[in-house]
Amino acid sequence: MKRVQVAIIGGGPSGLLLGQRLHQAGIDAVILEQRSAAYVLGRIRAGVLEQGTVDLMDQLGVGQRLHAQGLVHGGFDLGFRNTRQRIDLHRLTHGRQVMVYGQTELTRDLMDARSACGAVTVYDADEVQLHDFDGTSPRVSWRRHGVAHELQCDFIAGCDGFHGVSRASVPPGALKVFERHYPFGWLGVLSETPPVSHELIYSNHERGFALCSMRSLTRSRYYIQCPAGDTPARWSDQAFWDELRRRLDPESAERMVTGPSIEKSIAPLRSVVAEPMRFGRLFLAGDAAHIVPPTGAKGLNLAASDVQFLSQALVEHYQQRSDAGIDRYSGRCLHRVWNAVRFSWWFTSLMHRFPDGGEFGQKLQEAEIGYLLQSEAAATALAENYVGLPLER
Ligand code: APR
Ligand code: PHB
């Protein structure tokens, strides 16, 4: 049977980042991805990178296009009561900023680097199964175009997202799952139109939350809060633009350039954490272990920090014969994960209309936004979480 040091399940950002880091360290890894490369690149996901994620891309030698095409943002606007106020991330965090660069582009850069260095990704891997990861010789098996394959490995990295097979393979009772579901979703539209503003606008409005984001200077990404269970088919482009405009300050609504949607989809909002993130020789990383609502733009950044801890642990194992990093993997990740879960929950709670929140909840929300907009201390707490807390070693 063929052997590899690390079998990575899933070729999204987590799997690709890990694959690149292991390749750099001379650790042999194969990625098994159930979809095609084109399908993976067709998914539209978030697009705000913390400095730590940009640094990781640089360390991996794949930061060139990101620096050439990514947009550095030193702040964003909070919309409230028909006006906007800027949160100056750069000033409040003593010089930190974020980079707006679509996850699709980051994925493409990593895929290109992976093919350039000849590392193997098996696309269209069906029925991936994980075996014996609680013992000393794990295996993975899969089928491709009807043919069965099997691979022996030292470790399995479960990077297969929220609906993947890795977390589901852990025996029931060995994982504890913490979750909260929010009573709304985000309807997102991508359009080939210039963004309404040069920075993002997060808007709290009585009709519901709205977000103005972008992919480039000519491509916009907009979202509006919609009821849980809503479907994109119920929203014509015109209905979307009308509703978005209603939720913005008059000046932004006026300036908004609209056009046909290139993509329109609805994402549910939830917070989920599975603990621990290691089970024997299986590690969970990224969305396979945790989901945050997109309000804080933390999903991809958490995937990147998991990968940093995991690659460090594996490098220590192979190069220094130390398992200290492996033993600390789950605790280190979860510390950071819970900070991001808390922040994403807080920002979500602050910005959305809760159908069951009641008048008292509504008043509290308004008081808190008012406080945020006039207190340097409150704005600083928002800013330092948004740009990303430092990675604790
Ligand atoms: N076998 C093999 N591959 C699988 C399986 C399976 N059974 N199930 C899922 N996958 C693949 C998916 O097709 C996908 O390409 O695993 C990949 C997981 O990728 P993502 O869902 O993007 O998750 P991850 O790589 O952890 O990326 C971090 O955080 O908030 C988000 O937007 C952010 O998607 C980003 C994510
Ligand atoms: C996006 O551009 O898709 C985006 C930006 C910021 C968020 C969420 C999504 O908080």
Side-chain angles (χ1 to χ4, degrees), residues 9-16 32-35 39-40 43 45-46 103 125 127-128 159-166 285-288 290-292 298-301 303:
I9 318 297
S14 301
L16 289 165
L32 301 175
E33 164 59 54
Q34 75 175 356
R35 305 290 192 160
Y39 182 94
V40 171
R43 290 191 292 232
R45 299 273 180 85
Q103 181 176 314
E127 297 171 40
V128 171
C159 298
D160 48 351
F162 189 59
H163 301 287
V165 63
S166 300
D287 277 17
H290 41 73
I291 294 282
V292 287
K298 291 291 170 229
L300 176 57
N301 295 298

Side-chain angles (χ1 to χ4, degrees), residues 44-48 100-103 186 190 200 202 209 211-215 220-223 293-298 347 386:
I44 310 290
R45 299 273 180 85
V48 178
V100 173
Y101 189 66
Q103 181 176 314
W186 278 15
L190 187 68
L200 273 55
Y202 289 84
F209 171 72
L211 170 61
C212 304
S213 182
M214 64 193 73
R215 289 291 171 273
S220 300
R221 180 68 167 162
Y222 296 111
Y223 299 94
T295 324
K298 291 291 170 229
F347 202 25
Y386 192 86

